Amino acid sequence: MTTSNPRTSEYPIDNQFLDRWSPRAFTGEAIPEATLLTFFEAARWAPSCFNSQPWRFIYARRDTEHWERFLGFLNSFNQGWGQHASAIVIVLSKTTFAAPGTTEEKPAPTHSFDAGAAWGYLALQASLSGWHAHGLGGIEHDKIRKELALPDNYAIEAGVVIGKLGDKSSLPEALQAREVQSPRNPLSAIAIEGRLVP
Ligand SMILES: Cc1cc2nc3c(=O)[nH]c(=O)nc-3n(C[C@H](O)[C@H](O)[C@H](O)COP(=O)(O)O)c2cc1C
């Protein structure tokens, strides 16, 4: 077992998996673009079906011309705390691909799975670098599709806000109580030998 952050795993793992977490209190400082690009660089090295690399990260840094528009891509709950983040990212995946040796675009069977792996790498690199990446399902899909003029073969997977950990007293009381490193289901509930036991 491994203990860090303050979480304890059942089996020994690298601390980075326990150290990554999703706070909502951010300092609101600017993030250098070169720093942000290191997070996408980590995501770039994720594995994908046929190495098709279907992930796309469309981003805005705070204090840039894109910031307010991207903040409007979050639902009102997430805007409440996300406004103090340093970057907002919309994660897309390309839903079609041409298999090696072909030119015809066909449905990509694992575009979401692959994009999920890449986001995981991004989040771990952010955490290793002293930042935090917080995934967001609460985003405005129709608005994003329209304003980013997304072609039909690009799926909107999720949003991500990135920031430096701030003081939790900056959050409303209800969110202060949720500003904790969450536990996990037991390993035996998710890793099952042989067959699913619902
Ligand atoms: C795809 C995805 C969507 C999420 N959506 C939201 C969201 O809309 N708002 C929010 O406050 N947290 C959101 N979260 C954060 C999760 O609640 C959080 O990751 C989970 O509780 C586990 O906690 P941890 O990341 O601190 O380990 C999301 C996380 C992921 C990966």
Side-chain angles (χ1 to χ4, degrees):
M1 85 183 191
T2 306
T3 296
S4 190
N5 186 33
R7 292 162 151 172
T8 300
S9 65
E10 294 177 30
Y11 286 80
I13 55 175
D14 193 275
N15 282 6
Q16 66 175 311
F17 300 108
L18 302 172
D19 290 344
R20 184 220 56 81
W21 69 292
S22 305
R24 295 187 180 86
F26 291 120
T27 59
E29 67 197 73
I31 185 168
E33 192 165 32
T35 301
L36 184 59
L37 289 173
T38 64
F39 308 160
F40 300 131
E41 177 68 49
R44 188 159 80 98
W45 293 98
S48 60
C49 187
F50 283 111
N51 200 16
S52 56
Q53 303 161 62
W55 43 75
R56 303 288 184 273
F57 302 100
I58 317 298
Y59 66 90
R61 289 173 298 133
R62 75 175 304 114
D63 306 330
T64 68
E65 59 179 310
H66 305 294
W67 177 257
E68 286 300 326
R69 192 161 52 102
F70 274 60
L71 193 55
F73 291 164
L74 312 191
N75 70 15
S76 57
F77 169 75
N78 287 328
Q79 276 188 37
W81 55 271
Q83 63 182 302
H84 304 295
S86 307
I88 296 171
V89 184
I90 301 299
V91 183
L92 309 176
S93 67
K94 186 166 178 266
T95 64
T96 60
F97 83 122
T102 72
T103 52
E104 191 192 351
E105 291 276 318
K106 291 193 168 164
T110 60
H111 58 92
S112 288
F113 186 84
D114 297 340
W119 130 257
Y121 280 31
L122 182 163
L124 287 171
Q125 183 60 52
S127 169
L128 286 167
S129 303
W131 294 77
H132 292 273
H134 190 138
L136 299 177
I139 54 173
E140 305 290 342
H141 285 245
D142 292 345
K143 191 174 186 181
I144 293 168
R145 182 161 293 283
K146 190 164 169 226
E147 291 195 19
L148 294 181
L150 299 181
D152 287 345
N153 64 333
Y154 283 81
I156 300 167
E157 298 290 350
V160 179
V161 297
I162 295 171
K164 270 267 170 81
L165 185 62
D167 192 331
K168 76 173 178 183
S169 65
S170 65
L171 293 170
E173 255 176 44
L175 287 186
Q176 288 183 32
R178 291 168 62 183
E179 196 74 343
V180 289
Q181 292 84 347
S182 56
R184 288 298 185 267
N185 294 329
L187 189 58
S188 60
I190 60 153
I192 305 152
E193 191 167 27
R195 68 185 171 92
L196 179 67
V197 184

